[in-house]
Amino acid sequence: MLRRITDMPAGTIGFEAIGEVEDDDWEDAVEPVLRREIADGRKVRLLYLLGPQAREVEGDAMGADSRFRARHASSFERVAVVSDEDWMRPALRALSFLLPGKAKGFRVRELAAAKVWLAEGPDA
């Protein structure tokens, strides 16, 4: 399941993975929110928290997110992924070179810093 994080800085959106995350979870929880943001002409600043409550994120859910971002690449300004998985940060650095906008990984203990980075100005 993906649950919306309510204490996000203004102009940002956040979701926390709880238990197992399937592609239907992404399509039901995240996609409608992103579609509204894009339709309203706002640039997306998105945070995913894959913390201790996340057990498994299916590849189909990650694929649904990647396909959506590829179709709407110019609408994404920043994406922060908060996870203690060691492979996540290098993967995001590589991804940030491939797509417009910025992507950055943070450890779970750096959640507050991830929110600050997400809300910073475009040149930061």
Side-chain angles (χ1 to χ4, degrees), residues 5 34-35 54 85 87 97 112 119 124:
I5 300 172
L34 298 182
R35 287 194 181 282
E85 295 291 331
W87 62 269
F97 289 110

Side-chain angles (χ1 to χ4, degrees), residues 14-65:
F15 290 91
E16 179 179 10
I18 307 289
E20 293 183 19
V21 178
E22 300 175 353
D23 59 334
D24 289 346
D25 296 322
W26 189 89
E27 291 165 357
D28 294 343
V30 181
E31 186 174 2
V33 174
L34 298 182
R35 287 194 181 282
R36 277 193 303 273
E37 290 291 307
I38 292 167
D40 290 344
R42 290 189 284 274
K43 294 286 187 180
V44 175
R45 290 172 173 245
L46 178 64
L47 180 140
Y48 287 118
L49 171 58
L50 309 175
Q53 294 189 53
R55 284 198 310 271
E56 180 180 349
V57 178
E58 287 189 359
D60 289 346
M62 293 174 69
D65 173 77

Side-chain angles (χ1 to χ4, degrees), residues 1-119:
M1 166 171 95
L2 287 164
R3 180 180 65 198
R4 183 112 184 233
I5 300 172
T6 56
D7 63 339
M8 293 295 296
T12 68
I13 304 164
F15 290 91
E16 179 179 10
I18 307 289
E20 293 183 19
V21 178
E22 300 175 353
D23 59 334
D24 289 346
D25 296 322
W26 189 89
E27 291 165 357
D28 294 343
V30 181
E31 186 174 2
V33 174
L34 298 182
R35 287 194 181 282
R36 277 193 303 273
E37 290 291 307
I38 292 167
D40 290 344
R42 290 189 284 274
K43 294 286 187 180
V44 175
R45 290 172 173 245
L46 178 64
L47 180 140
Y48 287 118
L49 171 58
L50 309 175
Q53 294 189 53
R55 284 198 310 271
E56 180 180 349
V57 178
E58 287 189 359
D60 289 346
M62 293 174 69
D65 173 77
S66 297
R67 286 188 299 276
F68 185 89
R69 281 194 292 159
R71 285 192 309 272
H72 302 281
S74 63
S75 297
F76 283 81
E77 196 163 61
R78 289 184 177 212
V79 177
V81 179
V82 180
S83 171
D84 284 336
E85 295 291 331
D86 289 331
W87 62 269
M88 188 70 66
R89 283 165 301 286
L92 285 169
R93 278 193 297 276
L95 179 64
S96 68
F97 289 110
L98 300 173
L99 295 173
K102 295 181 179 182
K104 190 172 180 181
F106 296 85
R107 294 201 172 276
V108 172
R109 69 177 180 270
E110 299 171 321
L111 177 59
K115 290 179 181 182
V116 168
W117 176 81
L118 206 59

